[in-house]
Amino acid sequence: MRDYCRIIACCFLFLPFLSSANSTFTSLPQTSSHPFSGHRCVGSEKTALLRLKRDLSAAKPESTLPLQPASGSLLTSWKPNTDCCSWEGVTCHGVTTDHVIGIKLSGHNLSGLVNSTELLNLPYLERLNLVNCNIGEIPSFLRKVSRLVELDLSNNQIHGQVPKWIWQFERLVYLNLSNNFLNGFEAPSSDPFFSSLTFLDLSSNLLEGSIPIPPPSISFLSLAKNKLTGEIPESLCRIRNLTILDLCYNSMTGQIPKCLEALAATLTVLNLRENKFFGLMLWNFTEDCSLKTLNLYGNQLTGKIPSSLKHCRCLEVIDLGDNQINDTFPFWLGMLPSLQVLILQSNRLHGPIGQPLTSNDFPMLQIFDLSSNHFTGNLPLDYFAIWKSMRVKFNGSLLYLGSYYYRDWMSITSKGHRMDNINILTIFTILDLSNNLFEGEIPEEIGDHKLLDVLNMSRNNLIGEIPTSLSKLTLLESLDLSKNKLTGAIPMQLISLTFLSVLNLSYNRLEGKIPVGNQFSTFTSDSYQENLGLCGFPLSNKCDDVEDQQPPGAQEESILSESGSLFSWKSALLGYGCAVPVGVAIGHMLFWRNKRCSKLIEQSFKAKNHRRQSNERNRKRR
């Protein structure tokens, strides 16, 4: 029974804070649907909305945000001779009369709203969505809208402190003030404080000082991307309903409290990425652990990886990169049935990888990053042979790891370039073993991992020839084998890699003619430097047998490739923070920041996914 309950908890991980107020967490519809046809909105509430329209239309905008429509364009449906419950952005509910319970005016310039009090004449108002409305302060009249259940003022221009009266709403369940310029809190109120609050998002502000203590009812708490300092208070360990805790990208310090293990039965996301935490990870998780994302990247943690993580069988993302962990390869993590992302880069891990315990170890692994450690021995051929998730065709949709409210993120380095805050997409397949002490040859079996997007084995002691089986990695977008001791010719079969946008074979002992055609016409000489035996385009060394000529259009393409190499590599890649870190990477982690880059990356992967599906349909027709 306990196992069954744990499986249910994994599958319905957000049920704790959805069940308390189901409608609260759904997006407000543009228009209401009326189960009781013929009922009209209350006249006084309609009058209040028309006056609100007047106030907003008369107000002179403080500033105009790019591509942000004026309030008038939103309120064109607000006409005196129509039912206000049919107006855009208005939600009503009632039996005999339809009271206005929700207002959604997101994405419009409503800076004049702070001077209007007409919302006070909507006595049944429960949900207010003013996302991205160019508001410069929290409207003070909101303190009198006593029935609020959901308040979303995110993505505005709000400065100053969070007012103390905002903690006094007794019915408030959802509060989102993220992506503003808030720098602190007024003195806490002595009145009862958020007795019902389950969702609090204050991420991406300028908050300083220590963590404010949330109410015991909280389930989602994000203070990511602020300027918080100090330690994690042990009082957080007494919040028994806490499901997501995201404190990434702050300047917090001290040891991570051992008492957090007491929350493991409910906690699904723990994201402490990019802080200054130090010391040992002393947790002793038990079999009731519900963690799905554990992101401790970019701290100063030492010691060993807790073996009790093997009890957290719901884990999808583990990111312990960029710490000072001194341990051997945690082979026992292979028994986690849902693990999709394992990032251990930039630590002090050492020794050989060894052999898997069973033939079903790491059954779901799609992102495997051991770069910049001290691993030795041959490449882990026995693991290569059993990683089904890197070989079996992905048939699902293009998704981020995480959920509606949280995405996992990660950081990856290639060609000396680092990209942070990349949301993890479920179709990412990445193998990075670079900057270690691996030796021996690259096994032919690596070509069986046909879903690989990124393969990086640079800066090791690898010998032998480049296997021709790499030509089977038809989805590969980045290949880095630089700074090894590879010999022989570059296989001509690699020209079939039509998605390849980044190639680095420099600093090896390769020889012979560089392949010509397809993507190889776009690579610059940097891809081949310090291979004295290579000849042909784009190198100045001509081959003896045939006078090499630059392929048609190659000059233009190589210029484009050189100027766009950083983007092309990551667009190949990605889409572990604040909050995801679990996206293939994955779902709670990765998800949120670097929106422009993530959008471009997402578009690239959608196009690629479309091409995959189109090819599959054509194959079936044949």
Side-chain angles (χ1 to χ4, degrees):
M1 177 61 71
R2 176 177 296 182
D3 290 341
Y4 174 79
C5 293
R6 186 164 59 247
I7 293 172
I8 294 298
C10 290
C11 294
F12 298 98
L13 101 106
F14 291 102
L15 194 57
F17 60 81
L18 289 176
S19 59
S20 61
N22 214 10
S23 63
T24 300
F25 295 95
T26 57
S27 299
L28 288 173
Q30 292 298 314
T31 60
S32 64
S33 58
H34 301 289
F36 306 97
S37 59
H39 297 156
R40 303 173 66 84
C41 67
V42 178
S44 60
E45 297 179 11
K46 178 178 181 178
T47 300
L49 290 174
L50 289 172
R51 289 176 177 172
L52 175 63
K53 174 182 179 180
R54 176 201 63 195
D55 293 344
L56 294 177
S57 300
K60 185 177 181 179
E62 298 173 6
S63 63
T64 301
L65 297 181
L67 303 179
Q68 188 178 49
S71 58
S73 63
L74 168 72
L75 306 179
T76 53
S77 65
W78 293 25
K79 298 177 181 179
N81 59 344
T82 59
D83 182 9
C84 71
C85 291
S86 68
W87 294 351
E88 183 180 4
V90 176
T91 301
C92 296
H93 179 70
V95 179
T96 58
T97 57
D98 286 334
H99 290 289
V100 175
I101 63 168
I103 301 292
K104 181 178 181 180
L105 303 176
S106 58
H108 292 77
N109 194 331
L110 304 177
S111 56
L113 181 66
V114 295
N115 298 317
S116 177
T117 59
E118 295 301 331
L119 289 179
L120 297 177
N121 296 317
L122 302 175
Y124 293 90
L125 187 64
E126 295 180 352
R127 293 182 281 175
L128 183 59
N129 184 322
L130 302 176
V131 176
N132 190 26
C133 288
N134 199 25
I135 296 173
E137 60 183 281
I138 299 176
S140 59
F141 66 81
L142 288 179
R143 65 195 305 173
K144 297 180 181 180
V145 185
S146 59
R147 296 174 64 94
L148 276 180
V149 175
E150 175 180 340
L151 177 60
D152 195 338
L153 301 176
S154 59
N155 291 281
N156 278 291
Q157 310 292 314
I158 300 174
H159 290 71
Q161 295 184 316
V162 179
K164 62 181 181 181
W165 54 262
I166 209 167
W167 310 116
Q168 298 173 13
F169 290 107
E170 294 184 359
R171 302 181 61 185
L172 196 65
V173 174
Y174 178 102
L175 177 62
N176 191 342
L177 299 175
S178 63
N179 288 283
N180 281 289
F181 298 90
L182 297 165
N183 57 23
F185 303 88
E186 288 184 358
S189 171
S190 59
D191 295 332
F193 152 147
F194 273 135
S195 58
S196 301
L197 190 69
T198 61
F199 185 106
L200 177 59
D201 191 347
L202 294 169
S203 61
S204 297
N205 278 284
L206 303 172
L207 298 175
E208 298 179 331
S210 57
I211 294 180
I213 304 303
S217 58
I218 203 73
S219 177
F220 179 107
L221 177 61
S222 178
L223 297 166
K225 286 200 167 185
N226 280 285
K227 299 180 179 181
L228 297 174
T229 55
E231 301 183 0
I232 297 177
E234 293 197 359
S235 57
L236 278 182
C237 301
R238 296 191 287 271
I239 302 178
R240 296 302 179 180
N241 295 320
L242 194 59
T243 302
I244 294 179
L245 177 61
D246 191 349
L247 304 176
C248 69
Y249 290 95
N250 280 286
S251 298
M252 301 185 65
T253 187
Q255 290 189 309
I256 300 173
K258 185 179 186 298
C259 66
L260 286 177
E261 69 187 28
L263 301 177
T266 60
L267 196 64
T268 59
V269 175
L270 178 61
N271 189 354
L272 306 179
R273 178 186 183 93
E274 291 287 0
N275 278 280
K276 299 177 181 179
F277 295 115
F278 58 81
L280 305 175
M281 295 174 283
L282 300 174
W283 305 309
N284 184 22
F285 295 112
T286 58
E287 291 184 356
D288 63 352
C289 176
S290 296
L291 272 176
K292 298 189 76 171
T293 295
L294 177 63
N295 193 337
L296 305 178
Y297 177 93
N299 284 282
Q300 301 166 26
L301 302 175
T302 58
K304 297 183 180 297
I305 300 170
S307 61
S308 62
L309 283 176
K310 65 187 177 184
H311 297 308
C312 300
R313 296 182 61 80
C314 299
L315 271 169
E316 295 178 349
V317 176
I318 298 176
D319 191 345
L320 304 178
D322 202 6
N323 280 283
Q324 300 170 24
I325 299 171
N326 191 340
D327 202 352
T328 55
F329 179 69
F331 61 89
W332 37 265
L333 289 176
M335 65 181 67
L336 298 178
S338 302
L339 189 65
Q340 299 176 61
V341 177
L342 179 59
I343 298 177
L344 302 174
Q345 62 165 285
S346 302
N347 278 286
R348 299 174 181 174
L349 302 175
H350 55 272
I353 300 299
Q355 297 181 336
L357 292 175
T358 72
S359 61
N360 198 38
D361 279 16
F362 297 110
M364 298 295 290
L365 195 64
Q366 291 182 247
I367 295 181
F368 187 56
D369 187 352
L370 300 183
S371 61
S372 299
N373 280 286
H374 303 286
F375 288 113
T376 57
N378 291 331
L379 294 172
L381 174 59
D382 293 324
Y383 279 105
F384 292 166
I386 63 173
W387 283 342
K388 302 181 183 68
S389 56
M390 294 187 182
R391 291 185 279 126
V392 179
K393 182 176 177 58
F394 177 80
N395 293 316
S397 302
L398 184 69
L399 299 172
Y400 288 110
L401 274 182
S403 72
Y404 182 79
Y405 295 107
Y406 181 86
R407 288 180 182 170
D408 290 317
W409 352 357
M410 65 180 176
S411 300
I412 292 200
T413 302
S414 180
K415 294 184 68 177
H417 298 294
R418 172 179 287 273
M419 290 193 71
D420 295 315
N421 307 343
I422 301 299
N423 295 147
I424 303 177
L425 282 166
T426 52
I427 62 169
F428 292 165
T429 307
I430 299 168
L431 178 58
D432 192 343
L433 303 177
S434 63
N435 198 20
N436 279 283
L437 301 171
F438 290 117
E439 56 191 17
E441 298 184 355
I442 301 174
E444 288 282 344
E445 288 81 358
I446 197 67
D448 295 332
H449 296 80
K450 297 179 181 179
L451 298 182
L452 274 175
D453 297 294
V454 175
L455 176 61
N456 191 345
M457 295 182 172
S458 64
R459 290 173 291 169
N460 281 287
N461 294 313
L462 302 178
I463 61 173
E465 298 185 351
I466 297 174
T468 58
S469 64
L470 291 182
S471 63
K472 296 190 293 183
L473 304 179
T474 56
L475 301 177
L476 197 66
E477 301 192 34
S478 177
L479 175 62
D480 192 345
L481 303 177
S482 63
K483 296 186 178 179
N484 281 287
K485 300 174 182 178
L486 300 175
T487 56
I490 301 173
M492 291 296 175
Q493 296 91 330
L494 296 187
I495 64 173
S496 64
L497 302 180
T498 55
F499 282 112
L500 196 64
S501 57
V502 173
L503 175 68
N504 192 348
L505 303 177
S506 62
Y507 294 93
N508 279 287
R509 301 169 184 176
L510 300 172
E511 57 187 11
K513 183 179 179 180
I514 296 173
V516 177
N518 292 335
Q519 294 301 101
F520 275 79
S521 299
T522 70
F523 302 134
T524 68
S525 59
D526 291 342
S527 296
Y528 312 104
Q529 63 179 327
E530 297 302 322
N531 286 279
L532 300 183
L534 287 177
C535 62
F537 176 82
L539 300 180
S540 58
N541 299 335
K542 303 299 181 180
C543 299
D544 293 336
D545 53 347
V546 177
E547 183 70 15
D548 294 284
Q549 294 182 354
Q550 185 167 327
Q555 182 175 2
E556 179 182 356
E557 289 179 354
S558 91
I559 293 173
L560 291 173
S561 174
E562 187 171 358
S563 63
S565 61
L566 176 57
F567 167 73
S568 62
W569 181 85
K570 278 302 179 186
S571 67
L573 218 78
L574 301 163
Y576 212 117
C578 273
V580 192
V582 177
V584 196
I586 295 176
H588 281 333
M589 287 162 55
L590 65 30
F591 49 260
W592 285 354
R593 321 298 175 221
N594 205 348
K595 294 182 179 177
R596 178 177 178 273
C597 179
S598 291
K599 184 173 182 64
L600 292 171
I601 290 167
E602 180 180 359
Q603 291 171 346
S604 173
F605 268 94
K606 283 182 177 178
K608 181 176 178 179
N609 204 37
H610 177 74
R611 290 174 64 181
R612 290 180 181 176
Q613 295 172 352
S614 178
N615 291 338
E616 182 69 15
R617 286 194 299 268
N618 292 336
R619 184 187 66 79
K620 290 180 178 179
R621 290 194 189 103
R622 293 194 297 269

